[in-house]
Amino acid sequence: VQDRDDRQGVDVLEVEKDGIADKAGIRKGDVIVKMNGREVRSADGLRLYSTYNNVGTRNGDVKMEIKRDGKSQVIEIKFPRELKKVDL
């Protein structure tokens, strides 16, 4: 994602094929304007909100308001209930 000059959301620059965002319907070129009802004004803000609210965990499903082709829509992203072990 990338900040917008008008600070009215963040631009989606790419979406991982077959990833969670792709399966939820997020597309390159979308503008994320809200996450769980909270305004998104920067990429850093989106990351911080995601971290502090456990986004991506069993309890971290989210609703994102996006703009696509000038029209608003809400996309719900559901994360797997069983998390895989990740080797670091």
Side-chain angles (χ1 to χ4, degrees), residues 33-66:
V33 293
K34 289 186 181 179
M35 179 183 259
N36 286 343
R38 300 189 93 181
E39 288 186 5
V40 174
R41 296 189 182 267
S42 69
D44 287 340
L46 180 68
R47 288 183 196 99
L48 282 172
Y49 180 85
S50 298
T51 299
Y52 288 113
N53 290 281
N54 300 315
V55 171
T57 67
R58 285 178 277 218
N59 299 318
D61 294 346
V62 297
K63 288 185 181 179
M64 287 190 172
E65 182 179 325
I66 65 162

Side-chain angles (χ1 to χ4, degrees), residues 24-26 30-38 61-68 71-77:
I26 302 281
D30 287 347
V31 179
I32 301 170
V33 293
K34 289 186 181 179
M35 179 183 259
N36 286 343
R38 300 189 93 181
D61 294 346
V62 297
K63 288 185 181 179
M64 287 190 172
E65 182 179 325
I66 65 162
K67 286 190 178 180
R68 180 180 296 155
K71 297 178 184 175
S72 294
Q73 60 182 293
V74 175
I75 292 179
E76 189 167 1
I77 300 177

Side-chain angles (χ1 to χ4, degrees), residues 1-2 11-17 21 26-30:
V1 292
Q2 176 178 302
D11 292 319
V12 176
L13 300 179
E14 63 181 291
V15 177
E16 182 180 337
K17 184 176 169 50
I26 302 281
R27 301 286 176 251
K28 178 180 177 179
D30 287 347

